[in-house]
């Protein structure tokens, strides 16, 4: 596996024997931490520190080993080590400026000054029953803590300013919360809390119950986010400006709604089979998609006009992210989520496929993070020429599947007309259609008008196979497709110079990827 630091300064990857750390800009190796059996690791926001976690083991004296280790990412020097049995919530958390770091132990959160971590714990936040915590981003860091329900008392989320733990900045209590997920906005001023239960006591959902709560760090506002469609919450995403968020919720097909900074709905994206939301870094384009057990349909929306830009299909995708410039969307099929058709595709923010690559086993892929300020917001522009489009697997493009219709058992699939259950019941009683229209059923009474057993329904004639193209026809087809590509590129040049295109010309522009794919198939 590999990780970038939050702001893209440092890059590191893990092997079975060590962790190697690099300057992300120059790829100069900082150090190699030779440590076998590391299961997971994490980098601090600025890339100054690296934490590794190994499976805990017992020492000869019966004590647990120090399996959580903090390293200097530049020199590879070990700074501190701790015993941490559970992998959940194991990773150290740092504030954005790396001034403070923290970890959770039973009944408390321990804080250190990062530069003086070897001198011992700097301060503690003690709360009985604490199960989870999260440090906010931003210039004024806060810590949010979660205490689950116990003995009839409601669950609670509290927020404190670091290091003033005497008074909570904000509190929110709620029932139906076995566990939670916290979503901070980029400024660290507001928090969305997604609560989840393992069992839905109302028996409306097999997967438990979910609710969403909004909290302001200032303590002047909190509420439950009102969702008008029953069912689970699939995804939540803050806008890059920290003033709005989108929620995808409800039983499939799900509903997707945009909310303002007071949790008031301001736009409805409609009801569709979707479960994924992602703003581009500049906040201009929104990706709303359906991945996992859904069919991979992706909708791209213009945030400024709140109009749909395009819809396309990224079949079998299990990973999706925007480029730092906000103009390209990466989708990928990864192992072990799916062990066939691994690879990745790059889509222009207009919805046009411009590059794809097949990989036998692709485990991880991702962009190096960069500040969005380097790439100013721009309106949607015409897509570039596709760079690489792969041929479809097999001989040519997949033909659209014909409607299968109702299921028919094997012994009836050759008959001219399907036999319904009522027809079969009638046949058993010896009445109904003649046996020329259906299979003769053993045990049915014989009638004079019945046909002889030798008669059988006529088989549908097999469709003749299309003859394969000879070399001359193939070359002619290739020349026609290349001519069509040249025409499409001429139309793109006209569009760049501000000329208006006729509807037929616009339709021809959308066929570029399919033409390139057909051309690649012919050249195989």
């Amino acid at each position: 596996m590999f990780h970038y630091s939050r702001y893209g300064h440092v890059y590191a990857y893990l092997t079975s024997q060590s962790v190697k750390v690099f300057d992300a800009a120059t790829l100069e190796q900082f150090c190699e931490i030779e440590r076998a059996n590391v299961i997971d690791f994490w980098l601090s926001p600025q890339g100054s520190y690296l934490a590794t976690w190994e499976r805990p083991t017992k020492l000869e004296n019966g004590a647990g080993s120090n399996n959580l280790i903090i390293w200097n990412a530049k020199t590879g020097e070990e700074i501190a080590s701790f015993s941490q049995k559970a992998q959940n919530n194991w990773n150290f958390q740092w504030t954005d400026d790396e001034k403070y770091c923290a970890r959770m132990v039973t009944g408390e959160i321990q804080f250190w000054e990062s530069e003086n971590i070897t001198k011992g714990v700097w301060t503690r936040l003690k709360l009985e029953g604490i199960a989870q915590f999260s440090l906010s981003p931003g210039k004024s860091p806060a810590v949010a803590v979660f205490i689950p329900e116990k003995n009839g008392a409601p669950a609670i989320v509290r927020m404190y300013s670091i290091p003033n733990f005497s008074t909570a900045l904000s509190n929110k209590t709620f029932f139906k919360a076995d566990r939670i997920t916290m979503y901070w906005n980029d400024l660290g001023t507001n928090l969305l809390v997604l609560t989840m239960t393992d069992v839905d006591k109302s028996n409306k959902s097999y997967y438990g119950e979910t609710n969403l709560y909004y909290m302001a760090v200032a303590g002047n506002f909190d509420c439950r986010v009102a969702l008008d469609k029953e069912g689970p919450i699939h995804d939540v995403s803050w806008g890059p400006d920290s003033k709005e968020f989108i929620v995808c919720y409800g039983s499939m097909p799900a509903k997707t709604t945009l909310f303002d900074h007071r949790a008031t709905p301001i736009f409805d994206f409609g009801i569709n089979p979707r479960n994924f939301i992602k703003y581009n870094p500049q906040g201009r384009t929104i990706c709303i998609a359906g991945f996992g057990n859904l069919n991979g349909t992706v909708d791209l929306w213009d945030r400024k006009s709140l109009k749909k830009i395009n819809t396309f299909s990224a079949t079998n995708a299990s990973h999706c992210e925007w480029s730092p410039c906000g103009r390209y969307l990466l989708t990928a099929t990864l192992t072990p989520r799916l062990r066939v058709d691994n690879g990745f595709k790059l889509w222009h923010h207009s919805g046009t496929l411009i590059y794809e690559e097949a990989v036998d086993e692709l485990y991880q892929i991702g962009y190096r993070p960069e500040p969005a300020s380097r790439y100013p917001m721009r309106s949607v522009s015409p897509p570039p020429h596709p760079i690489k489009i792969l041929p479809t697997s097999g001989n040519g493009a997949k033909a659209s599947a014909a409607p299968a219709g109702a299921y028919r058992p094997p012994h009836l699939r050759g008959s001219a007309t399907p036999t319904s259950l009522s027809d079969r019941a009638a046949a058993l009683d010896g009445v109904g259609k003649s046996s020329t229209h259906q299979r003769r059923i053993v045990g049915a009474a014989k009638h004079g008008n019945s046909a002889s057993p030798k008669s059988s329904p006529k088989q549908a004639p097999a469709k003749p196979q299309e003859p394969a193209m000879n070399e001359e026809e193939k070359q002619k087809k290739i020349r026609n497709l290349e001519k069509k590509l040249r025409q499409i590129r001429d139309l793109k040049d006209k569009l760049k110079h501000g000329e208006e295109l006729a509807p037929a010309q616009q339709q021809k522009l959308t066929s570029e990827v399919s033409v390139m794919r057909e051309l690649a198939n012919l050249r195989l």
Side-chain angles (χ1 to χ4, degrees):
M1 73 172 70
F2 68 82
H3 287 300
Y4 284 100
S5 61
R6 184 182 302 170
Y7 298 108
H9 303 318
V10 176
Y11 160 78
Y13 70 85
L14 172 67
T15 69
S16 59
Q17 300 298 323
S18 65
V19 180
K20 296 183 178 182
V21 187
F22 300 84
D23 183 318
T26 64
L27 293 183
E28 176 188 354
Q29 183 170 324
F30 285 140
C31 65
E32 180 177 1
I33 301 169
E34 294 183 355
R35 191 86 181 181
N37 304 319
V38 172
I39 303 298
D40 203 357
F41 75 95
W42 200 256
L43 286 161
S44 62
Q46 304 293 339
S48 303
Y49 305 96
L50 183 143
T52 60
W53 186 85
E54 306 165 14
R55 296 194 189 280
T57 56
K58 279 190 177 182
L59 302 177
E60 293 180 357
N61 59 6
S65 60
N66 287 347
N67 58 318
L68 172 59
I69 306 174
I70 312 300
W71 310 83
N72 185 315
K74 302 296 193 302
T75 64
E77 178 187 358
E78 181 179 330
I79 299 175
S81 60
F82 309 90
S83 178
Q84 178 77 36
K85 291 184 179 179
Q87 189 174 0
N88 295 335
N89 283 330
W90 73 264
N91 56 299
F92 255 60
Q93 294 187 33
W94 281 268
T95 56
D96 268 8
D97 58 5
E98 297 185 349
K99 185 176 181 181
Y100 305 112
C101 57
R103 70 182 284 251
M104 187 180 71
V105 296
T106 305
E108 68 179 33
I109 302 172
Q110 299 173 344
F111 288 83
W112 289 264
E113 291 178 311
S114 297
E115 294 182 352
N116 300 318
I117 193 171
T118 56
K119 296 182 179 179
V121 177
W122 173 61
T123 187
R124 290 178 168 86
L125 172 58
K126 295 186 177 182
L127 291 168
E128 184 179 353
I130 185 170
Q132 193 173 334
F133 82 103
S134 177
L135 300 184
S136 74
K139 297 180 180 179
S140 301
V143 56
V145 297
F146 168 62
I147 303 173
E149 299 176 52
K150 187 177 181 181
N151 299 329
I156 186 169
V157 170
R158 289 179 180 160
M159 290 192 279
Y160 296 87
S161 175
I162 301 173
N164 182 14
F165 302 141
S166 58
T167 306
L169 298 173
S170 180
N171 291 278
K172 185 66 180 175
T173 58
F174 34 73
F175 289 96
K176 300 179 181 178
D178 297 331
R179 61 190 188 280
I180 67 169
T181 302
M182 302 187 205
Y183 298 90
W184 290 99
N185 63 359
D186 287 346
L187 295 177
T189 55
N190 297 305
L191 176 69
L192 289 169
V193 181
L194 175 61
T195 65
M196 294 162 278
T197 60
D198 295 324
V199 178
D200 182 3
K201 294 182 180 179
S202 65
N203 292 325
K204 292 182 179 179
S205 172
Y206 177 79
Y207 299 102
E209 186 174 351
T210 57
N211 288 291
L212 188 65
Y213 297 88
Y214 180 101
M215 299 176 66
V217 173
N220 56 0
F221 181 75
D222 64 71
C223 70
R224 177 179 172 179
V225 179
L227 304 176
D228 56 0
K229 193 174 192 296
E230 288 189 356
I233 297 172
H234 305 287
D235 200 9
V236 179
S237 181
W238 278 102
D241 62 359
S242 298
K243 296 179 180 179
E244 65 184 31
F245 61 93
I246 300 176
V247 186
C248 182
Y249 59 96
S251 302
M252 286 295 165
K255 186 173 183 179
T256 307
T257 305
L258 174 66
F259 295 84
D260 66 10
H261 66 289
R262 284 299 192 218
T264 303
I266 56 177
F267 185 75
D268 179 6
F269 293 96
I271 296 177
N272 291 290
R274 308 287 184 265
N275 58 6
F276 176 87
I277 307 163
K278 194 77 171 180
Y279 281 87
N280 77 341
Q282 291 72 24
R284 179 61 189 264
T285 311
I286 304 167
C287 167
I288 301 175
F291 296 131
N293 59 350
L294 300 179
N295 61 4
T297 303
V298 179
D299 297 328
L300 297 182
W301 290 79
D302 187 330
R303 173 60 189 90
K304 190 174 182 180
S305 64
L306 288 176
K307 292 182 179 179
K308 188 185 290 187
I309 301 169
N310 203 347
T311 297
F312 58 88
S313 179
T315 309
N316 296 330
S318 54
H319 176 80
C320 179
E321 67 174 283
W322 285 99
S323 63
C325 68
R327 303 183 69 75
Y328 301 99
L329 185 72
L330 169 71
T331 62
T333 303
L334 305 179
T335 296
R337 176 67 176 83
L338 197 66
R339 294 189 179 275
V340 295
D341 297 332
N342 279 199
F344 64 91
K345 298 179 180 180
L346 279 178
W347 309 81
H348 187 255
H349 66 158
S350 62
T352 302
L353 177 64
I354 60 169
Y355 186 86
E356 63 178 325
E357 190 71 61
V359 182
D360 289 339
E361 290 186 355
L362 182 60
Y363 290 90
Q364 191 178 0
I365 190 171
Y367 284 105
R368 175 193 169 193
E370 291 189 74
S373 57
R374 290 186 183 177
Y375 306 95
M377 185 184 297
R378 295 162 60 186
S379 59
V380 178
S381 60
H385 300 310
I387 300 170
K388 181 180 181 181
I389 304 297
L390 296 176
T392 52
S393 56
N395 297 324
K398 294 180 181 177
S400 57
Y407 171 77
R408 301 178 68 190
H411 65 272
L412 293 178
R413 288 175 188 171
S415 59
T417 57
T419 304
S420 66
L421 288 175
S422 59
D423 291 339
R424 289 176 61 79
L428 285 171
D429 295 334
V431 297
K433 297 180 181 179
S434 67
S435 58
T436 57
H437 298 288
Q438 65 182 28
R439 178 175 175 266
R440 183 173 179 272
I441 299 174
V442 178
K446 294 184 178 180
H447 288 264
N449 295 332
S450 61
S452 65
K454 295 181 181 179
S455 62
S456 61
K458 295 181 179 180
Q459 298 289 335
K463 293 183 179 179
Q465 294 184 353
E466 295 182 3
M469 284 190 295
N470 58 37
E471 188 62 28
E472 184 180 350
E473 292 172 338
K474 187 176 182 181
Q475 292 303 321
K476 183 178 179 181
K477 182 76 171 176
I478 289 175
R479 288 195 297 271
N480 289 337
L481 292 174
E482 288 175 340
K483 180 181 178 182
K484 189 177 286 189
L485 279 179
R486 288 194 297 271
Q487 292 171 346
I488 290 172
R489 285 163 187 161
D490 291 342
L491 291 175
K492 282 189 173 183
D493 292 337
K494 290 182 179 180
L495 198 62
K496 286 181 181 178
H497 289 91
E499 295 184 32
E500 291 189 6
L501 301 181
Q505 292 174 318
Q506 293 176 356
Q507 183 68 26
K508 181 175 282 189
L509 279 179
T510 62
S511 67
E512 183 176 20
V513 172
S514 61
V515 171
M516 291 186 69
R517 200 181 295 280
E518 188 177 356
L519 192 59
N521 285 328
L522 290 171
R523 286 173 172 167
L524 282 177

